[in-house]
Amino acid sequence: MDRKFKFSDVLRTAWKAYISQIWLLTGLVIGFVIVSLALILFIPSPLQGTVSISGIAILLLVFIFSQLFSLGYTKNMFQALDGEEPQFSAYGQESRKIITWLLSGLIYLIIVLIGSVFLIVPGFYFAIRLQFFSTSIVEEDTGVITSLKRSWEITKKQEVPLLLLLLLTMGICILGLAFFVAGIFIAGPLTGLIYVYVFRKLTDFSTEEVQME
């Protein structure tokens, strides 16, 4: 199997991009968490024994807010990777892709769940092969089905390296949690940068293969 990326390059490049924009990338995550927690505090206590319409509305608001943040933040990570300063305008620009993002995510979840029903391995396999649909939407402005097809295309024969990459990012997150939870505000942006960099490497190789054919 021809691995299309080196872990040493991935870590070095992601860390360099993170350090160059450390305050913005970390600050945005902290701000997101604070706003989300502030909204959740308004949800009525479940001890009241009733389903609150306002509580459901707030949860829906938090969900939409988190998805819009994910879209804009993914764009910010691509900007950091390119040596640019992350722009707040990315959140407004990427918000138009929210329907595509949500529908693709729903299809992704259904496919993974169906695969998991037929044992864990198929579900895990689909999760690895289709995981880059979101980055394709942000970077390449692909549609619902095209984003999933794109991820499937670029991850061909890369299952083992991507599995090892998953273990690596899990290790980084666990290490971040070990540092009194605060470390997760570093681990989160760093793992995000790792994935957008790997996406770039996979798409670069995919383009080269098409040109050679």
Side-chain angles (χ1 to χ4, degrees):
M1 180 180 295
D2 181 22
R3 191 169 67 188
K4 297 178 179 178
F5 56 89
K6 296 180 179 179
F7 291 111
S8 57
D9 290 341
V10 170
L11 285 172
R12 182 172 59 252
T13 304
W15 180 253
K16 181 180 178 181
Y18 174 64
I19 290 299
S20 68
Q21 301 294 338
I22 183 171
W23 299 115
L24 263 175
L25 292 176
T26 304
L28 285 167
V29 173
I30 293 174
F32 165 73
V33 171
I34 291 174
V35 173
S36 298
L37 289 177
L39 289 171
I40 291 173
L41 288 176
F42 286 99
I43 298 176
S45 171
L47 296 178
Q48 294 178 0
T50 58
V51 177
S52 169
I53 295 178
S54 61
I56 295 175
I58 292 172
L59 283 175
L60 181 60
L61 179 61
V62 171
F63 173 74
I64 296 298
F65 174 65
S66 67
Q67 300 308 300
L68 289 172
F69 176 81
S70 297
L71 268 167
Y73 197 72
T74 301
K75 182 64 175 181
N76 284 163
M77 288 188 289
F78 276 116
Q79 291 170 335
L81 201 61
D82 290 333
E84 303 172 3
E85 182 175 310
Q87 300 296 315
F88 292 107
S89 59
Y91 295 86
Q93 294 168 356
E94 297 300 316
S95 63
R96 64 182 177 81
K97 302 175 183 177
I98 184 65
I99 301 300
T100 300
W101 177 280
L102 291 174
L103 290 177
S104 299
L106 178 61
I107 294 174
Y108 170 80
L109 181 61
I110 291 172
I111 292 173
V112 172
L113 287 176
I114 291 175
S116 299
V117 169
F118 297 97
L119 299 177
I120 299 298
V121 174
F124 206 67
Y125 176 78
F126 287 133
I128 289 177
R129 291 295 305 274
L130 298 172
Q131 65 179 310
F132 292 104
F133 76 90
S134 56
T135 43
S136 177
I137 291 172
V138 173
E139 176 79 339
E140 302 175 322
D141 199 18
T142 49
V144 177
I145 302 302
T146 306
S147 63
L148 293 163
K149 286 183 176 179
R150 180 62 165 156
S151 182
W152 187 266
E153 170 193 316
I154 64 176
T155 55
K156 183 180 180 181
K157 298 182 180 180
Q158 297 300 305
E159 295 87 349
V160 174
L162 289 172
L163 175 60
L164 295 176
L165 181 71
L166 174 62
L167 295 175
L168 173 64
T169 54
M170 287 176 61
I172 292 174
C173 290
I174 291 172
L175 186 61
L177 286 170
F179 283 93
F180 306 103
V181 183
I184 201 66
F185 291 113
I186 298 175
L190 181 60
T191 54
L193 286 164
I194 285 174
Y195 272 98
V196 296
Y197 176 72
V198 169
F199 172 79
R200 283 268 181 87
K201 295 298 291 183
L202 293 175
T203 52
D204 286 347
F205 273 89
S206 176
T207 303
E208 289 176 7
E209 289 173 0
V210 170
Q211 290 175 346
M212 289 174 63
E213 291 177 355

